[in-house]
Amino acid sequence: MTKRILHIGVGNFFRAHMADYTQIEGNWSILGVSLRSAAIRDGLSKQNYDYTLSVRGDADKRITVLESVLVAPENKLSVITAVADAETHIVSLTVTEKGYTLTSDNLLDLNNLEILEDLKTDQPKTAIGFLAYGLVRRKTPLTVLSCDNLSHNGDILSRAVRDFAEAAELEIDWTKVSFPNSMVDRITPAATHDLMDATGDIMAVATEPFSEWVIEDRFVGPRPNWANVQFVEDVSPHEQRKLRMLNGAHSFLAYAGILAGYEFVHQAVSDAELRLQAHGLMREAAQTLQGVTEEETEVYASALLKRFKNPDLKHRLRQIAMDGSLKIPHRWCNSIRELSANRKAGPYLKLALIRWTEFCVEEVAQKYVLQDLQAEEINAAVRSQNPYESLLELVGIEASVLDNV
């Protein structure tokens, strides 16, 4: 009998990663949820919710695991009902860092306007609100699985939903809910018209052959036997390696590459100086990782540089550069603090922060619209008496800490 996953956030990464794993498993289906737009639902519904996954460097495949997509603003009760439905065994999320509505210290932002609205009604807008109101109605065990690039993503999500429930005075049986941590990895650029033309599918998604998924084995109900997924006791070593090395180097290439006039990742990493700097950043970040050898991290870094050089992916630097103020604390700042505390050098990580500040200054100077949740704060920082220190303050790190690396 087919079991159901409810997935919130049906963008390209979910369709290249979790949907692909689930189709291979074969005994589960997915009901999707779009929190904002009907565009993905409208496009997929015209083709029976099937779409082409274009694996660059490998054969294309047809993904057929989606049942349908609920558009939350059209019928909020349907999403809450789906969370509570006993036929839903897992609720998973790919809503990006900003979708968790967190403060800079990863707590639920109770001053966020949408969260404030959600606390006053059972007709929410946010992922946190939908989870909380759905869990109130839930009678059977449920696993809530974050698939976003946040360190300790399950723990952070659990705390956010609990804080929301407490503030809204909701009664939830927490003994029946689990929030495993996970680490996901598959480079997935935004779709292009060239991809649609090549596949004949307006809903096609491009991705790379490589894919990785590590999940804390803490499910309170059935789980798929996803092929090639690592179920482990502790995800931390895997997520830190990915966040600090892969995501850290990606963000560096985004800001430094844009400043150098490049458009795509493969162009930036083909620049000998930028490649050397990205490799140096990964080596510095590797010194903060636990349970891995220098040889293992060097092999991983070399493999990442090879993945970045794939010219078929057409991964835009500006896609990676979005929401930098939310990403940088996880991707660079934690590594910098640990290096500083251990009196180790980190010139390339320091350079990455400098390039981000230069990127912000240049974007404001060119009067571009910043694609960042803290765009107003960035604009104000750039116009302050000391833009460099003001921007560093936005990502939670002091200039004095940088002086020690």
Side-chain angles (χ1 to χ4, degrees):
M1 180 178 178
T2 301
K3 298 180 179 69
R4 176 182 293 157
I5 298 168
L6 181 72
H7 185 85
I8 302 174
V10 287
N12 281 7
F13 180 75
F14 153 72
R15 288 186 281 145
H17 191 266
M18 184 182 190
D20 189 20
Y21 277 95
T22 303
Q23 175 155 306
I24 294 170
E25 200 281 344
N27 293 316
W28 289 69
S29 65
I30 301 174
L31 174 61
V33 176
S34 175
L35 290 175
R36 306 287 181 188
S37 169
I40 291 177
R41 188 274 312 275
D42 292 347
L44 289 172
S45 65
K46 295 175 182 177
Q47 49 195 59
N48 197 34
Y49 292 95
D50 303 343
Y51 60 92
T52 303
L53 183 60
S54 182
V55 184
R56 297 310 175 91
D58 206 339
D60 292 355
K61 59 176 74 173
R62 196 72 177 167
I63 303 297
T64 61
V65 74
L66 272 168
E67 297 177 15
S68 62
V69 174
L70 304 175
V71 180
E74 294 179 359
N75 189 343
K76 296 176 179 179
L77 182 58
S78 67
V79 179
I80 293 170
T81 301
V83 173
D85 191 340
E87 292 186 7
T88 300
H89 298 286
I90 297 170
V91 175
S92 51
L93 301 90
T94 46
V95 294
T96 74
E97 291 91 341
K98 64 184 176 184
Y100 291 79
T101 53
L102 304 172
T103 63
S104 59
D105 52 358
N106 288 327
L107 298 174
L108 180 67
D109 186 358
L110 292 169
N111 292 315
N112 178 280
L113 293 179
E114 290 192 339
I115 290 293
L116 286 170
E117 290 179 12
D118 283 4
L119 289 171
K120 299 173 184 177
T121 176
D122 59 357
Q123 297 287 304
K125 294 181 180 179
T126 66
I128 303 300
F130 279 112
L131 285 171
Y133 288 114
L135 287 172
V136 169
R137 302 180 179 211
R138 185 84 192 184
K139 304 299 182 185
T140 55
L142 180 69
T143 301
V144 183
L145 179 61
S146 170
C147 302
D148 281 297
N149 282 321
L150 286 169
S151 184
H152 306 292
N153 51 17
D155 296 336
I156 288 172
L157 178 57
S158 173
R159 185 166 53 197
V161 176
R162 288 171 186 268
D163 287 349
F164 182 97
E166 181 179 353
E169 298 183 345
L170 303 178
E171 293 187 9
I172 295 172
D173 185 354
W174 298 109
T175 65
K176 293 181 178 178
V177 191
S178 70
F179 294 83
N181 294 305
S182 75
M183 184 279 284
V184 295
D185 184 7
R186 195 172 206 184
I187 296 172
T188 306
T192 64
H193 290 295
D194 288 345
L195 172 67
M196 298 172 194
D197 292 341
T199 60
D201 182 353
I202 62 169
M203 301 306 296
V205 177
T207 194
E208 63 174 334
F210 179 89
S211 185
E212 187 176 18
W213 198 1
V214 184
I215 306 175
E216 183 183 12
D217 198 358
R218 190 157 53 90
F219 290 69
V220 292
R223 65 165 170 80
N225 293 316
W226 283 304
N228 300 319
V229 171
Q230 298 178 63
F231 293 99
V232 300
E233 290 186 8
D234 183 9
V235 174
S236 297
H238 304 273
E239 69 182 12
Q240 286 195 8
R241 181 197 65 185
K242 193 250 181 174
L243 277 168
R244 298 185 182 190
M245 293 183 68
L246 187 157
N247 297 126
H250 243 177
S251 286
F252 166 75
L253 288 169
Y255 302 118
I258 290 169
L259 289 168
Y262 298 118
E263 183 178 4
F264 299 108
V265 173
H266 71 272
Q267 295 171 334
V269 81
S270 295
D271 180 306
E273 184 176 4
L274 294 185
R275 184 171 63 253
L276 179 109
Q277 292 166 347
H279 198 173
L281 182 149
M282 287 192 279
R283 283 174 169 161
E284 290 170 4
Q287 295 179 62
T288 71
L289 303 179
Q290 304 297 318
V292 289
T293 65
E294 182 179 348
E295 181 180 0
E296 288 171 333
T297 56
E298 187 59 32
V299 169
Y300 183 63
S302 297
L304 289 178
L305 291 172
K306 183 177 180 180
R307 290 168 63 192
F308 292 167
K309 288 177 70 175
N310 186 343
D312 295 326
L313 277 177
K314 297 289 192 295
H315 199 180
R316 294 186 184 277
L317 296 170
R318 286 196 173 273
Q319 180 186 352
I320 301 167
M322 292 172 61
D323 294 314
S325 67
L326 299 182
K327 297 173 180 176
I328 285 170
H330 303 282
R331 299 184 179 193
W332 300 339
C333 295
N334 291 335
S335 296
I336 289 170
R337 288 192 191 90
E338 291 185 30
L339 289 174
S340 177
N342 290 294
R343 301 183 182 277
K344 293 182 178 179
Y348 293 109
L349 281 160
K350 182 176 181 177
L351 176 65
L353 274 171
I354 292 170
R355 290 292 178 264
W356 175 69
T357 63
E358 292 172 344
F359 166 82
C360 292
V361 170
E362 181 65 17
E363 294 288 287
V364 172
Q366 296 296 328
K367 297 183 179 180
Y368 293 140
V369 177
L370 283 163
Q371 300 298 308
D372 195 292
L373 194 64
Q374 297 193 87
E376 291 184 10
E377 291 85 348
I378 291 172
N379 273 281
V382 168
R383 294 188 172 96
S384 70
Q385 290 187 338
N386 193 328
Y388 176 68
E389 290 194 0
S390 297
L391 287 167
L392 292 183
E393 185 178 344
L394 267 183
V395 294
I397 197 159
E398 304 78 26
S400 58
V401 173
L402 286 185
D403 292 339
N404 293 328
V405 293

